Amino acid sequence: MTATQVSPNPPLQVPASIRLIIQDACDRGATAAYLQAGRPPFYRMAGKLLPQEHFAALSVEAFRHYLQEVLSPQQLQHYQTHHKLDADVRIHGFMKARINCGPTSQGTEAMSLNGIVLDGPSEEMQRRGSVFGMVEDAFKQSASDIHLQVGDPPRFRIQGRMVTQPSYGKITAAQFDDFLQEVLTPSQQVQFREQQELDTAVLYEGLVRCRVNCAQSIMGGAMVLRLISLEVPTLEKLALPAALGYLAEERQGLVIITGAVNSGKSTSLAAMLRHVNESFARKVVTIEDPIEYVHTSQESLFTQREVGLHTQEFKDALRAALRQDPDIILIGELRDRETVDTAIRASLTGHLVLGTLHTKGAVNAFKRLLNFYMPEEQETVRFQIVDALKAVIFQSLVPTLQGGRTAALEIMMNTETIRDYLLKGCYDEIYQLLEEGVDNSQTMNQCLFDLHESGLISTTDALAASLMPEDLGYMLKNYTRRSSRSGLMTSDYTNRPPS
């Protein structure tokens, strides 16, 4: 007879924050909570003090952390001096209660929280506190993002800077649950509770479209909404180089826009696709997570698919796209080897593939593609990538003197010489080739130099955005679009007097 193997129950956890215990107590209808080092929490329910054995026994360290969370600095100092305290306490934006803490007769630290009342929303939040109300407010302030987190007031990112919105008050756990119900579908709410994170998008007709990320944190729920204009911007409005329009007109090849998170990559790609949509009869398939800009078919026919909504995996949607007779395929992110494999194959078989990466510098994007493969595969794959590659654009957003932000671009066109250097792995020499400006190539420093010389950005912001600030400092000091490493002093690049 074979014994049946029974998997052990998962170990009990000590809550990382006292907020989790307080919220659990209120959810269970408790009127008080009793915490003591060495024992699990106790709740007073229906007049009885009952152990909550779904939590582990509290360690001394956890108990003292809870004290620091719930007591003010003055109250904590009083407790540490006198070893007892009886006072009103409040975690702003979360709860208020009466605390009594001190050692038991056995000398173990303990506290009781009585009359627990979870904070309600502020009057301002009651008046304007729906997510939609905050989106309207953020839109009027020209904000790019809204940050909502339990225990903190909302914050808007305006021109790259986080700006607190104190008039709303601090967000409570109950409010955050209301936000989830407002923004997410019932199935998405279940998914969020199970996975504790979720990406989606929501459309506010006539206002904006929002990309939404929901997550759980030690303080409670957190939500970030990225505001996306319903109008797809033009290349001209974004002041992007005409080269991006020429690249969008190509019939095949791989075009990558790379840069840090929130550097405007998706917006630049949307502008490139609008350029195509207004002038060329093409079939465009986009695969995004989630969809940001929504394109209305004009000269071109658009099919837009969102991961998690219209397909389960990037790689599956990309394989399917090849059977949908596309001219252009936009991939929201080149995130794994299989996606890169399929993107390369598509660009070598008569499709224009547009995608994004998260790297600093155009050459580093090429290296990142190689790094999706094992070392012994890289020499073979190198030839395929070089054959497929049309251009790499590295983008950054730089604050302007007028209070906005502007895009700075490094452009590496895959010319015959660049191709040769990529195959040989001569990456340092590529920087000098970009400075020559062949086929609209340029370095990031040259773009920053031009923006500075036009009076659009400050010296400080230009240097902060540069990957090679010493080179840019040389260029600004000597009024030249060439770095000292170029070694060229022709009439085109000699120093000129200050303008």
Side-chain angles (χ1 to χ4, degrees):
M1 183 175 178
T2 305
T4 303
Q5 211 171 20
V6 180
S7 59
N9 292 326
L12 298 176
Q13 299 292 321
V14 175
S17 170
I18 197 172
R19 292 169 181 257
L20 301 176
I21 296 175
I22 293 170
Q23 186 68 56
D24 183 63
C26 292
D27 291 344
R28 295 171 185 269
T31 58
Y34 178 82
L35 307 179
Q36 178 180 325
R39 305 180 71 178
F42 280 67
Y43 298 164
R44 186 171 295 282
M45 296 187 291
K48 297 180 180 179
L49 199 59
L50 303 174
Q52 303 302 304
E53 294 176 346
H54 53 287
F55 290 132
L58 307 181
S59 65
V60 173
E61 292 76 14
F63 181 89
R64 290 176 178 170
H65 175 69
Y66 295 165
L67 281 177
Q68 292 175 356
E69 283 190 282
V70 78
L71 299 183
S72 69
Q74 296 80 7
Q75 289 173 332
L76 185 61
Q77 185 177 9
H78 182 279
Y79 174 74
Q80 290 169 342
T81 302
H82 301 282
H83 304 292
K84 61 180 179 179
L85 178 69
D86 186 4
D88 292 325
V89 291
R90 181 167 192 178
I91 301 177
H92 286 283
F94 181 64
M95 73 94 201
K96 55 186 175 182
R98 184 77 182 179
I99 191 170
N100 186 289
C101 50
T104 65
S105 57
Q106 292 80 28
T108 307
E109 291 187 281
M111 76 168 93
S112 62
L113 291 167
N114 298 284
I116 300 172
V117 178
L118 295 180
D119 277 359
S122 66
E123 291 183 5
E124 185 73 7
M125 186 66 87
Q126 290 180 19
R127 188 171 65 85
R128 308 161 51 193
S130 66
V131 174
F132 176 66
M134 284 183 278
V135 169
E136 283 187 312
D137 192 8
F139 180 77
K140 291 175 183 176
Q141 296 189 49
S142 300
S144 62
D145 300 84
I146 300 171
H147 291 255
L148 308 175
Q149 183 166 296
V150 171
D152 285 294
R155 287 173 167 83
F156 297 168
R157 188 177 293 279
I158 302 173
Q159 302 300 345
R161 295 177 175 85
M162 292 283 276
V163 181
T164 302
Q165 306 297 308
S167 64
Y168 285 100
K170 294 185 178 182
I171 297 168
T172 67
Q175 282 177 291
F176 189 81
D177 287 341
D178 290 341
F179 296 162
L180 292 176
Q181 292 177 28
E182 178 185 349
V183 172
L184 305 183
T185 65
S187 62
Q188 287 175 329
Q189 293 174 45
V190 172
Q191 181 183 345
F192 177 62
R193 284 195 294 270
E194 292 176 348
Q195 300 181 4
Q196 298 186 309
E197 54 193 1
L198 179 76
D199 287 306
T200 187
V202 60
L203 173 65
Y204 294 102
E205 292 283 356
L207 188 63
V208 292
R209 182 178 174 84
C210 290
R211 186 178 73 191
V212 183
N213 173 267
C214 303
Q216 284 289 355
S217 73
I218 190 172
M219 304 304 291
M223 182 186 297
V224 180
L225 298 96
R226 164 66 54 84
L227 277 64
I228 301 165
S229 173
L230 295 181
E231 179 185 2
V232 180
T234 64
L235 295 170
E236 293 77 13
K237 182 177 181 179
L238 298 176
L240 294 174
L244 271 66
Y246 304 148
L247 288 171
E249 297 172 16
E250 293 284 350
R251 299 309 301 239
Q252 75 174 65
L254 177 62
V255 177
I256 296 172
I257 297 187
T258 190
V261 176
N262 299 336
S263 58
K265 300 185 295 294
S266 297
T267 302
S268 295
L269 285 172
M272 293 170 69
L273 291 182
R274 174 171 175 171
H275 172 75
V276 173
N277 196 17
E278 292 177 340
S279 307
F280 300 93
R282 305 275 168 85
K283 170 65 180 292
V284 182
V285 177
T286 76
I287 307 163
E288 301 170 78
D289 184 16
I291 291 172
E292 297 194 14
Y293 289 94
V294 177
H295 297 266
T296 301
S297 298
Q298 298 178 30
E299 292 297 316
S300 294
L301 175 63
F302 274 76
T303 300
Q304 295 187 256
R305 305 188 69 197
E306 180 172 315
V307 177
L309 186 60
H310 310 120
T311 180
Q312 295 306 308
E313 296 284 347
F314 253 111
K315 56 188 178 184
D316 295 337
L318 184 52
R319 282 197 300 269
L322 295 177
R323 297 190 289 272
Q324 294 166 7
D325 188 32
D327 296 293
I328 300 174
I329 303 173
L330 181 140
I331 306 170
E333 181 184 349
L334 296 165
R335 54 175 60 179
D336 55 49
R337 172 178 169 155
E338 190 169 353
T339 301
V340 172
D341 270 339
T342 310
I344 292 172
R345 185 168 70 253
S347 60
L348 290 173
T349 55
H351 306 87
L352 178 64
V353 179
L354 309 177
T356 69
L357 281 173
H358 296 104
T359 65
K360 291 186 176 182
V363 174
N364 285 336
F366 178 80
K367 295 179 183 178
R368 178 74 182 98
L369 291 179
L370 277 180
N371 286 336
F372 280 110
Y373 299 87
M374 301 295 290
E376 60 270 18
E377 301 174 299
Q378 290 184 4
E379 282 310 305
T380 301
V381 173
R382 182 188 297 268
F383 284 90
Q384 297 175 0
I385 297 175
V386 170
D387 281 344
L389 197 63
K390 186 66 66 174
V392 180
I393 299 157
F394 166 49
Q395 178 165 322
S396 181
L397 292 179
V398 186
T400 67
L401 293 172
Q402 290 73 34
R405 290 190 295 174
T406 188
L409 275 62
E410 179 169 277
I411 303 175
M412 183 180 78
M413 296 291 188
N414 193 15
T415 64
E416 285 299 319
T417 310
I418 294 286
R419 171 191 170 90
D420 187 48
Y421 279 11
L422 289 175
L423 289 174
K424 293 177 180 177
C426 301
Y427 301 129
D428 291 340
E429 291 83 353
I430 290 177
Y431 187 85
Q432 297 177 32
L433 287 174
L434 297 184
E435 284 191 339
E436 294 179 10
V438 177
D439 288 348
N440 298 300
S441 291
Q442 66 180 19
T443 67
M444 175 60 75
N445 276 351
Q446 285 178 317
C447 183
L448 293 170
F449 176 87
D450 293 341
L451 293 171
H452 180 272
E453 289 296 282
S454 66
L456 196 59
I457 64 176
S458 69
T459 303
T460 300
D461 288 329
L463 293 171
S466 174
L467 299 182
M468 301 178 185
E470 290 185 1
D471 281 357
L472 181 58
Y474 171 90
M475 295 163 67
L476 295 174
K477 181 179 179 181
N478 293 280
Y479 303 98
T480 175
R481 292 187 83 248
R482 287 298 186 107
S483 65
S484 59
R485 72 179 69 193
S486 70
L488 296 179
M489 295 298 292
T490 67
S491 58
D492 291 332
Y493 300 107
T494 50
N495 297 350
R496 63 175 176 77
S499 56

